[in-house]
Amino acid sequence: MRDLRFIIVNWNTRKLLLDCIESIHATVKEFNFEVYVVDNGSEDDSVPMLRNHFPQVFVIENRENQGFAAAVNQALKDNTASYVVLLNTDAQLCDNTIQVMHAFMQQHTDVGIAGAQLLKPDGTKQNSFDNYPTLATEFLNKSLLRMIRPQKYRSKKQNITNPIEVESVIGACLMIRNEALKQVGTLDEAYFFFVEETDWCLRMQKTGWKVFHVPDAKVIHLGGESKKRAPWQSQIEYCRSLYIFFRKHRSYSAYITFRVCYLIKIYINLILNLIGNLCVLFRHTKLRYRLTTYSRLFLWHLLFCPEWMGLKPLKRKIKIKLFLD
């Protein structure tokens, strides 16, 4: 029986994938581990690179993008390792990261998921944990929420030196207990991209398992590399995932309220960014990007949130490409 199974989902991030796997072999020494890479239809020669550089890695090659949750679930089949480690391609393990997480999980048998402290390349902290989406978190100022209830709405600015129980952890580097995984089940494949680990954490806690942030486990995280390759499509998938989460875990009235208010929020941001672009004659790159994003989001809602707008590889996308690009 292996100690660890690393699972990495790749979509056109060849160089990052190489660095990610090298960080595993450079920092994880004393454990009996295996590495699974699920490639979601990459077109950048990621798979040939894997076979040349890492012949010992188990590769699952999909012809098209199956989404993050579905890809992870493919690699979870027949798992016999004591712990599963989900690692993003844009994440690199630091010295003793896995050792610290493993020791913590061994000592705290009631913890189902542990998340690492994510760092920018310059060493500054990134958000490594979060609260579950609610009407308050989505529509109120988070700085205000943190000021009113600092113990509930924690921030990366707080000096956290010891492991703390949190609602959810960011999925760039997670360690999951196999015993908890068997009880709670795999990721919900209704989520194509985004929020799937948040849903997993909530399901863990509903079943009695705890979720912890482990600050001494450090991971360098570039952040959002796959998202940058399809920016507005990623925003649509994030919005879709939020709707799924609210429909699944909140009351019907909260779900309807969220959908209505979120659409109003998108419309207001669309108008404000249009005015801003007009004022600078569309010469500001970030303003143009925001206008594009909000216009596509608003159009997606006007079309009743179709599957073909987003990241899912549906054939109907070919027919509308000229209208969107």
Side-chain angles (χ1 to χ4, degrees):
M1 182 175 180
R2 295 187 183 273
D3 299 315
L4 304 167
R5 174 178 291 190
F6 288 88
I7 297 177
I8 305 169
V9 178
N10 178 64
W11 182 54
N12 294 315
T13 55
R14 178 181 178 276
K15 178 60 169 64
L16 295 175
L17 177 62
L18 176 66
D19 294 339
C20 177
I21 298 177
E22 286 183 342
S23 79
I24 295 175
H25 290 290
T27 62
V28 184
K29 300 295 185 181
E30 63 268 38
F31 297 111
N32 181 11
F33 69 90
E34 57 193 1
V35 179
Y36 276 71
V37 173
V38 186
D39 186 79
N40 265 339
S42 295
E43 299 176 347
D44 63 350
D45 294 326
S46 289
V47 173
M49 179 276 293
L50 282 172
R51 303 204 188 281
N52 290 332
H53 288 81
F54 306 106
Q56 73 276 29
V57 169
F58 296 92
V59 181
I60 300 174
E61 188 174 0
N62 293 323
R63 293 185 177 180
E64 59 185 17
N65 193 346
Q66 300 291 328
F68 183 81
V72 169
N73 290 346
Q74 287 179 280
L76 286 174
K77 291 180 180 178
D78 304 319
N79 174 57
T80 58
S82 299
Y83 300 98
V84 171
V85 179
L86 296 192
L87 195 61
N88 283 6
T89 56
D90 59 359
Q92 297 177 28
L93 300 176
C94 299
D95 291 338
N96 297 318
T97 299
I98 296 302
Q99 291 85 336
V100 169
M101 297 180 77
H102 184 270
F104 175 80
M105 295 292 275
Q106 289 286 89
Q107 295 167 10
H108 300 83
T109 57
D110 57 346
V111 177
I113 296 181
Q117 175 61 62
L118 307 179
L119 304 173
K120 296 179 182 179
D122 63 4
T124 56
K125 289 182 180 180
Q126 289 184 353
N127 290 321
S128 303
F129 51 87
D130 207 351
N131 297 93
Y132 296 129
T134 63
L135 293 177
T137 61
E138 297 307 310
F139 298 118
L140 296 180
N141 184 280
K142 285 192 175 182
S143 297
L144 177 62
L145 292 174
R146 288 165 180 160
M147 183 174 62
I148 296 174
R149 299 188 64 184
Q151 293 306 309
K152 179 175 176 59
Y153 300 102
R154 293 181 178 271
S155 166
K156 65 181 180 181
K157 296 179 181 179
Q158 294 176 315
N159 185 26
I160 300 172
T161 57
N162 296 313
I164 58 169
E165 186 173 3
V166 295
E167 292 185 1
S168 68
V169 283
I170 307 302
C173 180
L174 304 180
M175 183 174 287
I176 304 98
R177 189 182 304 276
N178 193 36
E179 181 185 351
L181 176 62
K182 290 179 178 178
Q183 183 178 354
V184 175
T186 57
L187 289 170
D188 187 345
E189 295 182 16
Y191 301 96
F192 188 81
F193 197 38
F194 301 113
V195 192
E196 60 281 305
E197 79 273 23
T198 306
D199 176 273
W200 216 8
C201 289
L202 181 54
R203 288 160 52 204
M204 286 278 178
Q205 292 175 330
K206 285 183 175 180
T207 315
W209 295 97
K210 294 180 180 180
V211 177
F212 264 75
H213 165 64
V214 184
D216 285 341
K218 313 289 187 183
V219 172
I220 303 298
H221 182 226
L222 300 181
E225 292 302 312
S226 292
K227 180 180 176 180
K228 291 175 184 177
R229 298 175 184 275
W232 65 266
Q233 296 93 331
S234 296
Q235 288 296 324
I236 286 176
E237 292 301 338
Y238 178 69
C239 186
R240 195 197 314 271
S241 292
L242 281 178
Y243 288 163
I244 293 171
F245 185 90
F246 267 81
R247 185 174 68 243
K248 183 177 179 180
H249 296 294
R250 302 298 178 221
S251 66
Y252 182 73
S253 59
Y255 167 63
I256 295 300
T257 301
F258 175 70
R259 291 205 62 149
V260 172
C261 292
Y262 205 73
L263 177 56
I264 294 172
K265 180 180 176 180
I266 291 169
Y267 179 72
I268 292 172
N269 278 293
L270 173 61
I271 297 302
L272 291 176
N273 277 276
L274 177 59
I275 294 172
N277 273 279
L278 289 172
C279 290
V280 297
L281 301 177
F282 295 88
R283 293 179 179 177
H284 195 285
T285 302
K286 288 186 177 180
L287 282 178
R288 290 201 310 271
Y289 165 77
R290 291 173 184 168
L291 180 62
T292 299
T293 299
Y294 285 117
S295 62
R296 301 282 169 84
L297 275 172
F298 190 66
L299 175 62
W300 180 64
H301 283 85
L302 290 181
L303 296 174
F304 301 101
C305 307
E307 292 290 317
W308 48 262
M309 287 184 71
L311 294 172
K312 296 183 180 181
L314 301 180
K315 291 181 179 180
R316 272 186 79 182
K317 284 186 178 180
I318 299 174
K319 297 180 181 180
I320 64 156
K321 185 175 181 180
L322 292 176
F323 296 94
L324 295 179
D325 295 322

